[in-house]
């Protein structure tokens, strides 16, 4: 094993990536289980809960055992954080999308727009929280907000649409704008600053 490859493997282990991938697979399994019910609303709800499960597992990967030590090394950490966050979101989104495609029941699937917005925005919000509170608590606001949205359901007023962006009809201006803002701000903050310890 070359030095570069050994460094990548050590980085992945120190960030808990293997356990996170297992959690992503569990989220994909939960999505599949959602199709065992005959109720389309329940299938979609389970599909969104699977996103929440995956994002919760992402939080622990946002900081290493010694963040200050890592920052003291001559490594392009902004690039590494950007790749790290992008790959995590892509893997989770890819697994969940694959389950919906394989199940082949579009009427009961989480709409593609909602799935993309939920994965990207909640992952970025988790990263933003890692910057502010640290990786140990990064899952709390994103998971809490997501569960609140699932409990409330879609709202009609503008404020309500912003509050419940994840469960609105896909590609509405409000849901897309809210998800895009969360994604850009959260990802940019994490890439620039990394997790607080």
């Amino acid at each position: 094993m070359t030095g570069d490859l050994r460094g990548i493997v050590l980085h992945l282990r120190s960030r808990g990536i293997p356990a996170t991938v297992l959690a992503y697979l569990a989220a994909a399994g939960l999505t599949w289980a959602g199709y065992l019910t005959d109720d389309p609303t329940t299938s979609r709800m389970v599909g969104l809960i699977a996103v929440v499960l995956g994002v919760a597992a992402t939080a622990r990967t946002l900081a290493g055992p010694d963040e200050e030590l890592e920052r003291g090394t001559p490594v392009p950490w902004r690039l590494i954080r950007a790749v790290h966050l992008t790959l995590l979101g892509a893997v989770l989104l890819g697994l969940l999308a694959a389950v919906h495609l394989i199940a082949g029941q579009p009427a009961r699937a989480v709409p593609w727009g909602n799935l993309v917005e939920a994965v990207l925005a909640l992952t970025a919000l988790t990263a933003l929280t890692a910057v502010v509170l640290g990786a140990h608590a990064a899952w709390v606001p994103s998971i809490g907000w997501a569960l609140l949205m699932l409990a409330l359901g879609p709202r009609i007023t503008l404020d309500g649409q912003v509050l419940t962006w994840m469960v609105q009809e896909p590609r509405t201006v409000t849901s897309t704008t809210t998800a895009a803002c969360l994604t850009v701000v959260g990802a940019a903050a994490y890439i620039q600053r990394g997790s607080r310890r």
Side-chain angles (χ1 to χ4, degrees):
M1 187 181 294
T2 66
D4 288 343
L5 186 55
R6 183 176 293 118
I8 291 171
V9 169
L10 288 173
H11 175 75
L12 295 177
R13 285 182 182 167
S14 72
R15 296 293 177 114
I17 298 296
T20 301
V21 171
L22 288 176
Y24 286 2
L25 291 172
L30 180 61
T31 301
W32 187 275
Y35 284 101
L36 299 178
T37 177
D38 293 328
D39 181 19
T41 303
T42 302
S43 296
R44 289 191 202 103
M45 179 75 73
V46 171
L48 288 173
I49 291 172
V51 173
V52 174
L53 172 64
V55 171
T58 300
R60 68 189 303 263
T61 73
L62 298 176
D66 191 338
E67 196 74 6
E68 293 304 321
L69 178 63
E70 288 185 358
R71 288 179 183 165
T73 59
V75 175
W77 282 108
R78 289 181 186 160
L79 175 60
I80 290 171
R81 288 192 290 261
V83 171
H84 179 94
L85 200 59
T86 302
L87 286 178
L88 285 173
V91 169
L92 179 58
L93 179 60
L95 284 171
L96 299 180
V99 171
H100 287 300
L101 290 172
I102 292 169
Q105 300 177 32
R108 293 168 56 195
V110 175
W112 176 246
N114 288 77
L115 185 63
V116 172
E117 289 174 0
V119 170
L120 297 184
L122 290 177
T123 299
L125 178 60
T126 302
L128 177 61
T129 307
V131 174
V132 178
L133 301 178
H136 65 283
W139 60 275
V140 176
S142 53
I143 303 316
W145 192 2
L147 294 177
L148 177 65
M149 288 187 275
L150 291 170
L152 292 176
R155 298 292 158 178
I156 297 174
T157 65
L158 182 60
D159 290 347
Q161 289 178 28
V162 171
L163 177 65
T164 61
W165 59 270
M166 188 176 77
V167 294
Q168 295 293 327
E169 287 298 315
R171 293 188 295 275
T172 61
V173 173
T174 307
S175 67
T176 302
T177 302
T178 304
C181 288
L182 289 171
T183 301
V184 171
V185 172
Y190 178 73
I191 291 167
Q192 180 69 25
R193 299 178 61 88
S195 176
R196 178 180 178 182
R197 291 301 291 172

